[in-house]
Amino acid sequence: MSVRPLSEAEREALVAAADALCGGGRLSAPSATPGYEEWLERALAARADAFEEVVAAAVALDGLSLEGRREALRRMNADERPRFHALSSVVAGAWLLVPEIAAALGYPGQVAAPAAFDEAATQLETGILDPVIARGPIYKEA
Amino acid sequence: MGERLQTDVLVIGSGPSGAVVTHTLASAGVDVVCLEQGDWINPSDFGTNEPEWELLIQQQWAHDPNVRKAEADYPVEVSDSDMWPVMLNAVGGTSLFYGAEWVRMLPSDFRLRSCEGIADDWPISYAELKPYHDEIDAFLGVSGVAGDPAYPEGLDYPLPPHPIGKVGMKAAEGMNALGWHWWPGANAIAVDRHKTLERCLRHGVCEWGCPAGAKASFDLIYLPQALAAGAKLITGARVSRIESGTDGLASGAHWIDREGGENFVAAKAVVVCANGIGTPRLLLLSGGPAHPDGLANSSGLVGRNLMLHPNCTVTGYYEDDLESWKGPAGETIHSMEFYESRPEHSFVRGGKMNVLPTPGPLAAIEAHRDQPFDQLWGPAFADVAARHRSGILWATNTEDLPDEANRVTLDPALTDGDGVPAPKVDYRIGDNTRAILDFHVARMTEIHEASGATETIPVGLWVDQPGHLLGTARMGEDPGRSVVDSYGRAHDVPNLFVADGSLFVTGGAVNPTATITALALRVAKHIVATGAEIPTSTGAAR
């Protein structure tokens, strides 16, 4: 789905960048998240306009330790905002797309959640609007 | 020369105003052709149908045409602008991307000169426009709650409101604690099936294309009815010039098709509905011997007085799960507390505040972009992303007063894909508007605190929002101080009409599409009523 196939080295560089940006918290790091690489392909396709920039930015971190990558990314965020924005959006955004990660973060996606017929009325019947109504008209005559 | 058509009325642009005009004319039996440079977009094709929608809206489905760069788009030169106007070139226009917040201007908006000695009065009043609003609302099935005390009596909605949700309830608690006005949101989003609109399923992605077909974008309502009534819509039709005869009257328009072929529609009358950027661009492109400074521009005001409604926001995050992924978005509630001028303020006029949910985990990341690196990335990342469920976005639409220096011209170098000169926007945010923005950032922060937010993130100016493009062919009674009369008829060209946001004399501070469509309906009904009296060009086209 990407604009061109990734080389193995490029793929590893992108996953390593993702680990530096998303890993170390309460959830599994991207490299340890099953399915991450498939969603990475999809994220790259969504930002096909930035494909080469994103790949190059990740490859530039090659050979650095996790902390070294994080430090390099910290500098990129400070000095090269558009480049960092593209890279971080794609590799971190891909991780957020993994269904298990999205579920762990409480995002159900764009699910259909039609309102019950009485939901709006029930909310307003709590009396929450009463102070506004009690205050009376506020509009300015003109 | 390619296709050559003939019609009674040519409408240029199929956004909200073009759709209303086309429908109104066709329904009255008028022969009408509508030209649209974009194409139909099926709701099932929006990027919002995909899991990666938050990435797709960064470029492929971005609001900014300079970022999106779709085939139907034209570039907008913004290097001398504080804001980047946004729009969508498609059947239904930018309404495919709007939030459908359906809010009317207030009575004072029409009389700033008389009441406050600033700017100019509109040539029509709130009361004169009200029946047109009511008719539009009924057609669209606008949902809301009657009795908003910020308005005169008589404002009601045809459909019941959407739930304000946990987001709206939490925001309302803060407003009540402060004693400030708020009211459940009014939205042109179908709370139940209505005409050609489906029922809202609260996907939460309204502003990037409603996957359910519930939001009243004008490709889904008004245009289908217009086509059923006999209107002809031509897509992929980029108008390059409105032609005028030797008598100075409009005689039709040249348009370029997808293959680059040149075509012409001859018309007895022309209605321009190309938005506050596209309309002045087209008028300036259409000069001729009778109109040396551009069509309908003897006043020199075509393109001037651009108003963009600068927006500021404060996003708040809470301990509670607010289901902030849930729509509509759409406003959940709004407030007119600081809409009007107040003696204690350092500025005149004000803003309309409203609440939206904060759908999507990547949106929570984007909101935190300016935080220190280690508070967002690495071990902190998952916890920040999880905050998406507990966010409330307070936004303010501010009133930017008309300023002739804020304008649309033709760029001397930049062109669209067909070689037609692109618009150049010169727009600077004035001191008064800056003061309104700063004031509202402070007030919205205060509201969040009153509602119990644990974190607030202010944004003093949304550079690439909104798509409120107003004022560039203003209406008025004095031909020296306006481009068109109160019915959108050009002072210089009596068979040329404007019916979009360009008409606005002042901008108000409400989301403008409700007003734009009410004005368009008024223009269209006037054309129907006076059609026989509208002069037609007898001169040969140049």
Side-chain angles (χ1 to χ4, degrees), chain B residues 329-352:
Chain B
E331 57 175 25
T332 61
I333 69 171
H334 68 235
S335 173
M336 302 298 193
E337 182 68 28
F338 302 109
Y339 193 92
E340 304 281 3
S341 298
R342 291 187 179 198
E344 66 269 29
H345 288 170
S346 63
F347 51 85
V348 296
R349 306 306 291 160
K352 172 229 168 197

Side-chain angles (χ1 to χ4, degrees), chain A residues 26 47 106 113 115 135, chain B residues 58 199 202-203 337 383 389:
Chain A
R26 60 185 167 89
R47 287 300 312 271
R135 184 179 169 195
Chain B
Q58 290 185 349
R199 178 187 183 187
R202 300 197 290 183
H203 290 101
E337 182 68 28
D383 290 333
R389 283 186 72 95

Side-chain angles (χ1 to χ4, degrees), chain B residues 432-463:
Chain B
N432 192 73
T433 311
R434 291 273 180 202
I436 299 174
L437 288 163
D438 293 345
F439 174 87
H440 278 88
V441 166
R443 296 293 76 72
M444 293 188 291
T445 303
E446 201 173 341
I447 299 165
H448 277 304
E449 289 168 352
S451 292
T454 55
E455 178 189 19
T456 55
I457 300 176
V459 177
L461 174 68
W462 272 14
V463 174

Side-chain angles (χ1 to χ4, degrees), chain B residues 266-277:
Chain B
K268 295 175 182 173
V270 175
V271 188
V272 191
C273 302
N275 82 42
I277 302 287

Side-chain angles (χ1 to χ4, degrees), chain B residues 106-127:
Chain B
L106 293 171
S108 64
D109 284 320
F110 297 87
R111 291 176 50 79
L112 289 194
R113 168 58 59 182
S114 296
C115 295
E116 302 189 36
I118 53 179
D120 286 299
D121 288 347
W122 288 47
I124 57 174
S125 67
Y126 175 90

